[in-house]
Short mmCIF file of all heavy atoms in Angstrom, two decimals:
data_model
loop_
_atom_site.label_atom_id
_atom_site.label_comp_id
_atom_site.label_asym_id
_atom_site.label_seq_id
_atom_site.Cartn_x
_atom_site.Cartn_y
_atom_site.Cartn_z
N LEU A 1 -7.21 -11.55 -0.98
CA LEU A 1 -7.12 -11.20 -2.43
C LEU A 1 -6.82 -12.44 -3.18
O LEU A 1 -7.27 -12.53 -4.43
CB LEU A 1 -6.16 -10.09 -2.77
CG LEU A 1 -6.62 -8.75 -2.58
CD1 LEU A 1 -5.47 -7.76 -2.86
CD2 LEU A 1 -7.76 -8.46 -3.58
N PHE A 2 -6.08 -13.41 -2.58
CA PHE A 2 -5.77 -14.63 -3.37
C PHE A 2 -7.05 -15.42 -3.86
O PHE A 2 -6.95 -15.92 -4.96
CB PHE A 2 -4.84 -15.55 -2.49
CG PHE A 2 -3.40 -15.23 -2.50
CD1 PHE A 2 -2.91 -14.37 -1.44
CD2 PHE A 2 -2.56 -15.55 -3.43
CE1 PHE A 2 -1.56 -13.94 -1.44
CE2 PHE A 2 -1.18 -15.24 -3.45
CZ PHE A 2 -0.78 -14.37 -2.38
N ALA A 3 -8.04 -15.40 -3.06
CA ALA A 3 -9.24 -16.09 -3.41
C ALA A 3 -10.00 -15.35 -4.47
O ALA A 3 -10.78 -15.89 -5.30
CB ALA A 3 -10.10 -16.27 -2.24
N ARG A 4 -9.91 -14.00 -4.39
CA ARG A 4 -10.73 -13.16 -5.34
C ARG A 4 -9.99 -12.88 -6.66
O ARG A 4 -10.73 -12.85 -7.62
CB ARG A 4 -11.15 -11.89 -4.62
CG ARG A 4 -12.11 -12.09 -3.45
CD ARG A 4 -12.38 -10.77 -2.84
NE ARG A 4 -13.30 -10.01 -3.72
CZ ARG A 4 -13.79 -8.81 -3.50
NH1 ARG A 4 -13.38 -8.21 -2.47
NH2 ARG A 4 -14.67 -8.32 -4.34
N SER A 5 -8.76 -12.54 -6.54
CA SER A 5 -8.09 -12.15 -7.77
C SER A 5 -6.53 -12.47 -7.72
O SER A 5 -5.87 -11.75 -7.10
CB SER A 5 -8.18 -10.55 -7.92
OG SER A 5 -7.46 -10.12 -8.92
N PRO A 6 -6.19 -13.57 -8.37
CA PRO A 6 -4.72 -13.90 -8.30
C PRO A 6 -3.88 -12.80 -8.93
O PRO A 6 -2.78 -12.64 -8.48
CB PRO A 6 -4.71 -15.14 -9.26
CG PRO A 6 -6.08 -15.74 -9.22
CD PRO A 6 -6.94 -14.57 -9.10
N PHE A 7 -4.41 -12.12 -9.89
CA PHE A 7 -3.63 -10.98 -10.51
C PHE A 7 -3.29 -9.91 -9.54
O PHE A 7 -2.03 -9.59 -9.26
CB PHE A 7 -4.42 -10.34 -11.59
CG PHE A 7 -3.79 -9.07 -12.14
CD1 PHE A 7 -2.76 -9.12 -13.01
CD2 PHE A 7 -4.24 -7.78 -11.87
CE1 PHE A 7 -2.14 -8.06 -13.54
CE2 PHE A 7 -3.68 -6.64 -12.38
CZ PHE A 7 -2.65 -6.81 -13.18
N PHE A 8 -4.24 -9.43 -8.70
CA PHE A 8 -4.00 -8.41 -7.77
C PHE A 8 -3.16 -8.93 -6.46
O PHE A 8 -2.35 -8.23 -5.88
CB PHE A 8 -5.30 -7.74 -7.26
CG PHE A 8 -5.77 -6.72 -8.26
CD1 PHE A 8 -6.93 -6.99 -8.94
CD2 PHE A 8 -5.16 -5.46 -8.51
CE1 PHE A 8 -7.43 -6.04 -9.91
CE2 PHE A 8 -5.59 -4.67 -9.38
CZ PHE A 8 -6.69 -4.92 -10.08
N SER A 9 -3.49 -10.22 -6.10
CA SER A 9 -2.83 -10.80 -5.02
C SER A 9 -1.36 -10.90 -5.26
O SER A 9 -0.46 -10.64 -4.42
CB SER A 9 -3.45 -12.12 -4.68
OG SER A 9 -3.28 -13.03 -5.64
N TYR A 10 -0.93 -11.47 -6.51
CA TYR A 10 0.41 -11.49 -6.85
C TYR A 10 1.14 -10.14 -6.78
O TYR A 10 2.15 -9.95 -6.25
CB TYR A 10 0.57 -12.11 -8.24
CG TYR A 10 1.97 -12.18 -8.70
CD1 TYR A 10 2.84 -13.15 -8.23
CD2 TYR A 10 2.50 -11.27 -9.68
CE1 TYR A 10 4.13 -13.32 -8.64
CE2 TYR A 10 3.74 -11.35 -10.07
CZ TYR A 10 4.61 -12.38 -9.55
OH TYR A 10 5.96 -12.41 -9.97
N LEU A 11 0.44 -9.13 -7.47
CA LEU A 11 1.13 -7.81 -7.42
C LEU A 11 1.22 -7.18 -5.95
O LEU A 11 2.10 -6.47 -5.74
CB LEU A 11 0.34 -6.84 -8.35
CG LEU A 11 0.40 -7.25 -9.80
CD1 LEU A 11 -0.45 -6.24 -10.63
CD2 LEU A 11 1.86 -7.12 -10.39
N SER A 12 0.28 -7.50 -5.12
CA SER A 12 0.31 -7.03 -3.79
C SER A 12 1.44 -7.44 -3.08
O SER A 12 1.98 -6.81 -2.02
CB SER A 12 -1.03 -7.37 -3.08
OG SER A 12 -1.03 -8.74 -2.61
N LEU A 13 2.17 -8.61 -3.41
CA LEU A 13 3.29 -9.03 -2.64
C LEU A 13 4.44 -8.12 -2.83
O LEU A 13 5.36 -8.23 -2.08
CB LEU A 13 3.63 -10.45 -3.28
CG LEU A 13 2.67 -11.56 -3.04
CD1 LEU A 13 3.10 -12.85 -3.69
CD2 LEU A 13 2.43 -11.79 -1.51
N TYR A 14 4.38 -7.29 -3.84
CA TYR A 14 5.58 -6.28 -4.00
C TYR A 14 5.33 -5.05 -3.21
O TYR A 14 6.26 -4.26 -3.10
CB TYR A 14 5.64 -5.95 -5.45
CG TYR A 14 6.20 -7.07 -6.32
CD1 TYR A 14 5.32 -7.94 -6.95
CD2 TYR A 14 7.55 -7.33 -6.36
CE1 TYR A 14 5.68 -8.94 -7.73
CE2 TYR A 14 7.97 -8.38 -7.14
CZ TYR A 14 7.06 -9.22 -7.79
OH TYR A 14 7.56 -10.23 -8.46
N LEU A 15 4.25 -4.91 -2.56
CA LEU A 15 3.97 -3.72 -1.65
C LEU A 15 4.70 -3.83 -0.34
O LEU A 15 4.65 -4.98 0.25
CB LEU A 15 2.44 -3.47 -1.42
CG LEU A 15 1.65 -3.22 -2.68
CD1 LEU A 15 0.18 -3.17 -2.26
CD2 LEU A 15 2.09 -1.89 -3.31
N LYS A 16 5.27 -2.79 0.09
CA LYS A 16 5.91 -2.70 1.44
C LYS A 16 5.06 -1.78 2.29
O LYS A 16 4.96 -0.61 1.97
CB LYS A 16 7.37 -2.32 1.37
CG LYS A 16 8.19 -3.27 0.52
CD LYS A 16 9.60 -2.72 0.21
CE LYS A 16 9.82 -1.88 -1.01
NZ LYS A 16 9.37 -2.06 -2.17
N PHE A 17 4.45 -2.36 3.31
CA PHE A 17 3.58 -1.46 4.17
C PHE A 17 4.38 -0.60 5.10
O PHE A 17 5.30 -1.06 5.74
CB PHE A 17 2.73 -2.36 4.98
CG PHE A 17 1.72 -3.33 4.20
CD1 PHE A 17 1.50 -4.58 4.68
CD2 PHE A 17 1.15 -2.82 3.08
CE1 PHE A 17 0.61 -5.32 4.00
CE2 PHE A 17 0.32 -3.64 2.37
CZ PHE A 17 0.04 -4.89 2.83
N LYS A 18 4.07 0.67 5.12
CA LYS A 18 4.84 1.66 6.00
C LYS A 18 3.75 2.63 6.45
O LYS A 18 3.03 3.28 5.74
CB LYS A 18 5.84 2.34 5.15
CG LYS A 18 6.94 1.53 4.62
CD LYS A 18 8.20 2.23 4.12
CE LYS A 18 9.15 1.26 3.51
NZ LYS A 18 10.24 0.78 4.23
N GLU A 19 3.77 2.83 7.80
CA GLU A 19 2.83 3.77 8.46
C GLU A 19 3.34 5.17 8.16
O GLU A 19 4.54 5.35 8.26
CB GLU A 19 2.64 3.47 9.93
CG GLU A 19 1.69 4.35 10.61
CD GLU A 19 1.31 4.07 12.05
OE1 GLU A 19 2.18 3.36 12.66
OE2 GLU A 19 0.44 4.58 12.46
N ASP A 20 2.43 6.11 7.88
CA ASP A 20 2.78 7.48 7.71
C ASP A 20 3.30 8.05 9.00
O ASP A 20 2.60 7.82 10.09
CB ASP A 20 1.63 8.23 7.18
CG ASP A 20 2.04 9.55 6.54
OD1 ASP A 20 3.15 9.73 6.09
OD2 ASP A 20 1.15 10.45 6.53
N ASP A 21 4.37 8.76 8.97
CA ASP A 21 4.86 9.39 10.17
C ASP A 21 4.16 10.67 10.29
O ASP A 21 4.32 11.62 9.53
CB ASP A 21 6.44 9.58 9.97
CG ASP A 21 7.06 10.15 11.21
OD1 ASP A 21 6.34 10.55 12.19
OD2 ASP A 21 8.27 10.36 11.22
N LEU A 22 3.40 10.81 11.34
CA LEU A 22 2.53 12.05 11.61
C LEU A 22 3.45 13.24 11.92
O LEU A 22 3.00 14.29 11.74
CB LEU A 22 1.51 11.78 12.60
CG LEU A 22 0.48 10.65 12.24
CD1 LEU A 22 -0.54 10.45 13.43
CD2 LEU A 22 -0.27 10.99 10.89
N LYS A 23 4.65 12.99 12.44
CA LYS A 23 5.58 14.12 12.64
C LYS A 23 6.03 14.75 11.41
O LYS A 23 6.40 15.93 11.36
CB LYS A 23 6.74 13.63 13.62
CG LYS A 23 6.17 13.31 14.98
CD LYS A 23 7.35 12.75 15.90
CE LYS A 23 6.84 12.24 17.14
NZ LYS A 23 7.77 11.60 17.94
N CYS A 24 6.32 13.84 10.40
CA CYS A 24 6.77 14.22 9.09
C CYS A 24 5.99 13.50 8.11
O CYS A 24 6.51 12.56 7.50
CB CYS A 24 8.32 13.96 9.06
SG CYS A 24 9.00 14.53 7.51
N PRO A 25 4.78 13.89 7.80
CA PRO A 25 3.88 13.04 6.92
C PRO A 25 4.30 13.05 5.48
O PRO A 25 4.72 14.05 4.92
CB PRO A 25 2.51 13.67 7.19
CG PRO A 25 2.82 15.10 7.64
CD PRO A 25 4.05 15.05 8.44
N GLN A 26 4.07 11.96 4.79
CA GLN A 26 4.35 11.82 3.43
C GLN A 26 3.05 11.96 2.59
O GLN A 26 3.13 12.29 1.50
CB GLN A 26 4.98 10.49 3.14
CG GLN A 26 6.44 10.30 3.64
CD GLN A 26 6.97 8.98 3.31
OE1 GLN A 26 6.70 7.91 4.08
NE2 GLN A 26 7.69 8.85 2.18
N LEU A 27 1.94 11.59 3.25
CA LEU A 27 0.57 11.69 2.59
C LEU A 27 0.10 13.02 2.76
O LEU A 27 0.24 13.64 3.69
CB LEU A 27 -0.31 10.62 3.26
CG LEU A 27 -0.02 9.18 3.06
CD1 LEU A 27 -1.00 8.40 3.94
CD2 LEU A 27 -0.12 8.82 1.57
N PRO A 28 -0.72 13.43 1.75
CA PRO A 28 -1.49 14.71 1.88
C PRO A 28 -2.47 14.58 3.02
O PRO A 28 -2.78 13.50 3.50
CB PRO A 28 -2.22 14.86 0.58
CG PRO A 28 -1.59 13.93 -0.38
CD PRO A 28 -0.98 12.86 0.45
N GLU A 29 -2.87 15.75 3.63
CA GLU A 29 -3.72 15.75 4.76
C GLU A 29 -4.98 14.92 4.63
O GLU A 29 -5.39 14.24 5.52
CB GLU A 29 -3.99 17.20 5.09
CG GLU A 29 -4.79 17.42 6.43
CD GLU A 29 -5.02 18.82 6.80
OE1 GLU A 29 -4.19 19.65 6.45
OE2 GLU A 29 -6.08 19.11 7.34
N ASN A 30 -5.55 14.95 3.44
CA ASN A 30 -6.89 14.34 3.26
C ASN A 30 -6.74 12.81 2.76
O ASN A 30 -7.68 12.16 2.53
CB ASN A 30 -7.71 15.04 2.28
CG ASN A 30 -7.08 15.13 0.86
OD1 ASN A 30 -5.90 14.94 0.72
ND2 ASN A 30 -7.78 15.41 -0.21
N ALA A 31 -5.56 12.36 2.67
CA ALA A 31 -5.35 10.90 2.14
C ALA A 31 -5.18 10.01 3.31
O ALA A 31 -4.50 10.31 4.34
CB ALA A 31 -4.09 10.90 1.29
N GLY A 32 -5.70 8.76 3.15
CA GLY A 32 -5.53 7.74 4.22
C GLY A 32 -4.49 6.66 3.86
O GLY A 32 -3.89 6.01 4.61
N MET A 33 -4.25 6.67 2.49
CA MET A 33 -3.30 5.64 1.95
C MET A 33 -2.77 6.11 0.68
O MET A 33 -3.47 6.85 -0.12
CB MET A 33 -4.05 4.34 1.84
CG MET A 33 -3.07 3.17 1.57
SD MET A 33 -3.95 1.55 1.53
CE MET A 33 -4.37 1.35 3.26
N GLY A 34 -1.59 5.77 0.32
CA GLY A 34 -0.97 6.10 -1.00
C GLY A 34 0.25 5.20 -1.17
O GLY A 34 0.71 4.46 -0.29
N VAL A 35 0.71 5.24 -2.44
CA VAL A 35 1.85 4.42 -2.78
C VAL A 35 2.90 5.33 -3.47
O VAL A 35 2.58 6.35 -4.06
CB VAL A 35 1.38 3.35 -3.75
CG1 VAL A 35 0.93 3.89 -5.16
CG2 VAL A 35 2.48 2.18 -3.91
N ASP A 36 4.20 4.98 -3.26
CA ASP A 36 5.24 5.72 -3.85
C ASP A 36 5.80 4.84 -4.97
O ASP A 36 5.54 3.70 -5.20
CB ASP A 36 6.24 6.23 -2.96
CG ASP A 36 7.18 5.09 -2.33
OD1 ASP A 36 7.18 3.97 -2.78
OD2 ASP A 36 7.79 5.43 -1.28
#
């Protein structure tokens, strides 16, 4: 993203990647990714 969009790449640095726990899911059944 740094090469394509400095705006989005900068904001992406604030994201913390966390895998959804399938035993106690946070995402709805049909979602693959989401943000809190």
Side-chain angles (χ1 to χ4, degrees):
L1 275 176
F2 279 95
R4 292 182 75 182
S5 173
F7 173 77
F8 284 109
S9 63
Y10 176 76
L11 293 177
S12 76
L13 295 174
Y14 291 94
L15 296 174
K16 296 172 273 315
F17 300 141
K18 300 197 185 259
E19 185 174 13
D20 197 25
D21 183 357
L22 297 178
K23 295 176 185 173
C24 184
Q26 292 180 276
L27 293 173
E29 187 176 324
N30 62 339
M33 192 176 290
V35 67
D36 68 15

